[in-house]
Amino acid sequence: MRPRGSALLSALMLAGAAATPAAADMTDPPPALDLRAGVTLASDFRLRGLSLSNRRASLGATLDAVHVSGLHAGLRAASLAGPVARGADALVELAAGYRTMAGPVELDVGARYFAFTGAAGATDFVEPYAALGYDLGPVGLRASAHYAPRQRALAPAGAGRAGRADNLYLRAGLDIGVPGTPLSLAAHIGRDTGGGQLTLARRYTEWGLGLRHSRGPLTLALDYADSSAGLRLANGRQPGGAGLIARATLDF
């Protein structure tokens, strides 16, 4: 099943390159639709504190469309490995939402669809979300709630084909830009109530600290990630254990 995941990643990266607009005249008004794309190479791929790449390198790509009305949509893909996410070889995430300002606070509501290619059994699920953002000078505050209603992919082991479960993930984050430099600091904490076969973990807290360096289209990042998941796989690896994650992202 691995060629399928690789093909999805390749197609997304090609689509991103094709979507990159030609340079516009400086006197032109801003476009009604802004298309953005990027590719990322990471030493590990973590989703909500848990490694889905068996704590090995992962290649990812993104394609985003933002309309002046506030509507936005995105497509993301990343290569996976290991038994978490039922042995999937790639994650494909589709997102759509609406973003607006309420005074100084940014509001964003929408939904995401997670598809795990090459996985064994039911893994795909839909998850609505709501997020708030507030910027004060170089400091950005973010909070979000993600709730997935009862679905087969979230059911605990042994629940059978009729099994269903829901999931709630809460997250709060802080970003601080260092004035006069291309550096920024990031910190977050999240709480997940999951207990299904998809992540193999149950009711855990995850957190992280990070350093970013952005210059032009290139962003380099180094993150420290850890969690209370306490999950240990048969191969001895701990998907939610403490670790450093290096990433390089090139935006188009």
Side-chain angles (χ1 to χ4, degrees):
M1 297 300 293
R2 297 209 173 271
R4 183 183 175 191
S6 301
L8 282 169
L9 282 171
S10 300
L12 182 53
M13 286 186 281
L14 289 173
T20 305
D25 192 297
M26 294 299 291
T27 60
D28 291 342
L33 184 65
D34 183 20
L35 297 178
R36 309 167 189 173
V39 293
T40 298
L41 178 62
S43 62
D44 187 9
F45 177 79
R46 295 206 180 195
L47 180 65
R48 298 173 184 174
L50 299 182
S51 175
L52 301 189
S53 62
N54 206 21
R55 304 193 71 163
R56 295 175 179 171
S58 171
L59 178 63
T62 62
L63 180 62
D64 293 292
V66 181
H67 193 264
V68 293
S69 65
L71 295 173
H72 61 88
L75 173 62
R76 292 170 174 77
S79 61
L80 308 182
V84 182
R86 295 184 180 173
D89 54 23
L91 166 63
V92 178
E93 177 190 335
L94 302 174
Y98 176 73
R99 188 179 297 120
T100 188
M101 298 297 297
V105 178
E106 181 184 78
L107 306 177
D108 185 11
V109 294
R112 293 186 175 93
Y113 175 75
F114 296 89
F116 296 84
T117 70
T123 54
D124 301 357
F125 65 97
V126 177
E127 183 182 74
Y129 71 88
L132 301 175
Y134 179 76
D135 293 325
L136 181 62
V139 179
L141 303 174
R142 304 288 182 265
S144 59
H146 311 251
Y147 178 71
R150 293 172 62 83
Q151 296 166 74
R152 281 187 61 197
L154 305 175
R161 295 182 60 86
R164 299 286 190 277
D166 59 357
N167 189 82
L168 175 65
Y169 174 72
L170 302 175
R171 189 181 194 276
L174 171 70
D175 296 292
I176 305 175
V178 181
T181 76
L183 300 175
S184 62
L185 304 173
H188 82 274
I189 186 169
R191 176 68 177 173
D192 194 282
T193 65
Q197 299 180 68
L198 189 58
T199 64
L200 304 178
R202 181 176 180 82
R203 299 186 185 279
Y204 65 95
T205 301
E206 56 92 9
W207 56 91
L209 299 171
L211 176 66
R212 313 279 187 271
H213 180 284
S214 297
R215 175 118 23 211
L218 180 64
T219 298
L220 302 177
L222 183 64
D223 294 312
Y224 170 81
D226 199 359
S227 79
S228 64
L231 177 64
R232 184 181 295 273
L233 303 177
N235 59 14
R237 294 181 181 270
Q238 294 179 281
L244 289 176
I245 304 167
R247 294 196 315 276
T249 300
L250 182 63
D251 294 320
F252 303 99

